Amino acid sequence: MATKKPQNPTLPPSTPSTTDGGDSVVLERRAQKVQPPQMYQVAMLNDDYTPMEFVVMVIQEFFGKDREAATQIMLKIHLDGKGVCGVYSRDVAATKVDQVLDAAKQGGHPLQCISEPIE
């Protein structure tokens, strides 16, 4: 059975090599800049059919808010048409949206939840 010969690992980008006066060569490492992940806000949208208590319960259950904070978010949703429940990475935000939509569907409510990138 033929196997491939392992490849040597590639070196990270470096600045031009310099000599230290002897026969050896010194490579200088360049620091790589890593960008933080894009964050997404999870927001619920107002409708005229979902009970306010259900919205408060969902915010408490899926976003870890206490009753007072959940009530404040629910009032913002009710008065402004949209309220932010939390800010997460893309995958976590998508999971939160799915959890809220599943709970609304099981409860028979038309509650809508979205995630949108933060600029």
Side-chain angles (χ1 to χ4, degrees):
M1 171 156 77
T3 60
K4 290 185 178 181
K5 193 175 190 181
Q7 295 179 342
N8 291 335
T10 58
L11 294 174
S14 62
T15 58
S17 60
T18 59
T19 58
D20 62 355
D23 291 338
S24 61
V25 175
V26 178
L27 294 178
E28 296 176 18
R29 272 188 202 250
R30 243 188 257 174
Q32 294 178 350
K33 294 185 180 185
V34 178
Q35 296 291 327
Q38 172 73 46
M39 299 302 283
Y40 290 76
Q41 63 184 12
V42 177
M44 286 191 206
L45 306 177
N46 188 40
D47 62 66
D48 294 333
Y49 304 102
T50 305
M52 292 179 177
E53 272 305 308
F54 180 79
V55 175
V56 170
M57 186 269 308
V58 166
I59 294 170
Q60 285 181 292
E61 185 174 336
F62 298 118
F63 298 98
K65 306 290 185 187
D66 61 15
R67 185 153 186 85
E68 182 64 29
T71 302
Q72 292 299 318
I73 294 170
M74 178 274 299
L75 288 172
K76 181 151 179 67
I77 295 167
H78 182 68
L79 297 173
D80 297 344
K82 175 174 141 180
V84 176
C85 300
V87 176
Y88 306 95
S89 63
R90 182 181 61 189
D91 294 338
V92 174
T95 300
K96 297 283 185 186
V97 168
D98 289 342
Q99 289 173 332
V100 170
L101 294 177
D102 287 344
K105 185 176 181 181
Q106 287 179 357
H109 303 295
L111 181 64
Q112 291 298 305
C113 185
I114 60 170
S115 69
E116 51 195 15
I118 298 175
E119 284 105 30

